[in-house]
Amino acid sequence: MSKSPQTATEAVAEVPQGMKPEQIAKTLRTIADSFRQSLRSPILHTPAEQGLEYEDVSFPSEDGVPLEGWFIPAPGSDRIIIANHPRWFSRAGLPSHLEPWKSLGAATGNDFEVNFVPDYKILHDAGYHVLAYDLRNFGHSGAANGGVFTVGRFESRDVVGSLNYVRSRPDTKDMTIGLFSRCVGGNSTMFAMTRRPEVFEGVRCMVSPQPLSPGVALSRALERLGIPARHIDDLDELIRLHISFRLAELSPVPWAKNVNVPTFLYQVRDDLYTWPDDIQAMYDNIPVAEKKLFWIEGTTRRWDGYTYFQQNPTQMLDWFDRYMK
């Protein structure tokens, strides 16, 4: 039986403070290796659990990679939300109450399950069709680019593919489109807007929880480990040798300058994976006048940002409603 690839957070959890140089080197290699092949999350929930009718769908990414998803109809509606997901997750969420997925966030308190199906129920009941899909190399979607994870660059092709799919279906081609782009899904959408702005003509708005610059996230991980900050340069080079991109080339901060639809960002302010300044810089770079930034207070757990919508959906639904009428 093959062993699952070790995750960066597993490395963080198992290495003691005050590491020797060889331990530091091993930890950096393990973190870099997680960009070469990501741990997939299984599909443990379906819309049927919320009493929703749905269709299993498959459609090509911009470059032909097969993407798997659900189409959840809302009869009588002419509006559709396209939803994607964070790293490690699938369209169904993340079973981070179970190993090996528990180790992804356990060191930072993110060791509880995230189920995204209630999100789709809320959107459906608010009058939206929903297309929820797995990004490449995640969930049930196809393996691509040798399995490497590029924090939005290659994954941006999947965002384009999802829009092409909605516009190709006879029953959805004339619908008003909104985007629910979470974490790396938000990064991917911003990079897709950078590469292919014309694809977003007619898209009304985006809600984007917790986009993330990997350089910031990895610097915070080294800080938690007690690894001197200078080693981020070593880690940067190791990652480049795997995926050919430097960390600075994977940040959505410059991509945000090309966001071309009304956009609502929200973020756990004290999230241990990032710093508020990184999210603020993305927000400040968004050039459209119709934008909003909301901070989730009182927690350091990133996963609380992923479940916030299903617990407090009002302002996000108001955003969709305002721009999709």
Side-chain angles (χ1 to χ4, degrees):
M1 184 174 180
S2 62
K3 184 179 178 182
S4 298
Q6 189 181 40
T7 67
T9 40
E10 286 175 326
V12 168
E14 72 180 23
V15 180
Q17 299 290 324
M19 288 184 283
K20 297 178 181 178
E22 59 270 22
Q23 291 175 303
I24 291 174
K26 179 181 177 182
T27 302
L28 297 180
R29 287 195 302 271
T30 299
I31 295 172
D33 286 349
S34 73
F35 282 75
R36 183 168 56 186
Q37 184 179 9
S38 289
L39 181 67
R40 286 181 183 255
S41 171
I43 310 294
L44 297 187
H45 300 282
T46 75
E49 296 175 5
Q50 294 285 328
L52 297 172
E53 293 186 4
Y54 70 100
E55 176 187 348
D56 289 311
V57 297
S58 181
F59 56 90
S61 178
E62 181 186 14
D63 59 0
V65 175
L67 305 177
E68 304 297 325
W70 295 317
F71 174 66
I72 304 169
S77 172
D78 62 355
R79 303 180 295 175
I80 185 169
I81 302 294
I82 301 174
N84 55 30
H85 60 82
R87 186 187 186 188
W88 299 310
F89 288 61
S90 71
R91 73 195 108 129
L94 184 70
S96 37
H97 59 309
L98 305 173
E99 293 293 358
W101 304 277
K102 185 174 183 177
S103 293
L104 292 168
T108 50
N110 296 290
D111 55 356
F112 56 94
E113 183 180 23
V114 177
N115 177 3
F116 282 148
V117 172
D119 293 21
Y120 310 139
K121 170 69 170 173
I122 291 168
L123 291 169
H124 170 273
D125 290 354
Y128 297 99
H129 302 267
V130 177
L131 174 67
Y133 70 96
D134 300 328
L135 296 165
R136 64 186 57 209
N137 300 314
F138 294 105
H140 283 166
S141 285
N145 311 107
V148 299
F149 175 62
T150 61
V151 203
R153 295 189 72 102
F154 293 157
E155 297 82 3
S156 70
R157 302 169 186 175
D158 306 338
V159 176
V160 174
S162 71
L163 285 163
N164 289 342
Y165 176 67
V166 166
R167 290 166 174 155
S168 71
R169 281 180 64 122
D171 56 346
T172 61
K173 64 184 180 66
D174 296 320
M175 288 186 180
T176 300
I177 300 171
L179 306 175
F180 192 21
S181 300
R182 307 174 180 104
C183 185
V184 71
N187 292 23
S188 303
T189 304
M190 292 183 197
F191 193 62
M193 290 174 173
T194 300
R195 292 193 306 106
R196 298 287 308 278
E198 74 282 0
V199 173
F200 294 86
E201 292 179 7
V203 173
R204 295 293 185 85
C205 64
M206 174 168 66
V207 172
S208 184
Q210 309 200 133
L212 184 70
S213 293
V216 176
L218 293 175
S219 293
R220 295 224 63 187
L222 297 188
E223 179 184 43
R224 289 193 302 274
L225 281 166
I227 295 176
R230 67 179 182 274
H231 287 287
I232 192 65
D233 294 334
D234 302 325
L235 181 55
D236 188 19
E237 179 63 15
L238 289 170
I239 291 170
R240 186 176 74 92
L241 292 175
H242 283 328
I243 68 172
S244 305
F245 297 111
R246 292 199 178 277
L247 291 173
E249 298 175 275
L250 305 176
S251 170
V253 172
W255 306 342
K257 295 177 182 179
N258 301 293
V259 170
N260 54 15
V261 302
T263 296
F264 178 12
L265 303 183
Y266 62 96
Q267 168 70 43
V268 171
R269 187 189 294 273
D270 296 324
D271 178 4
L272 295 176
Y273 282 77
T274 189
W275 291 111
D277 288 353
D278 188 53
I279 308 303
Q280 187 68 52
M282 290 178 219
Y283 177 77
D284 291 345
N285 276 352
I286 293 173
V288 300
E290 301 88 357
K291 61 181 180 178
K292 179 178 179 178
L293 173 58
F294 174 73
W295 296 106
I296 300 168
E297 308 284 1
T299 180
T300 62
R301 303 189 307 183
R302 183 170 182 82
W303 280 209
D304 286 333
Y306 298 143
T307 60
Y308 190 85
F309 173 76
Q310 58 194 245
Q311 298 166 357
N312 302 276
T314 301
Q315 59 181 320
M316 297 79 174
L317 292 178
D318 286 348
W319 191 263
F320 283 129
D321 188 58
R322 181 186 312 170
Y323 293 104
M324 294 182 67
K325 281 186 175 179

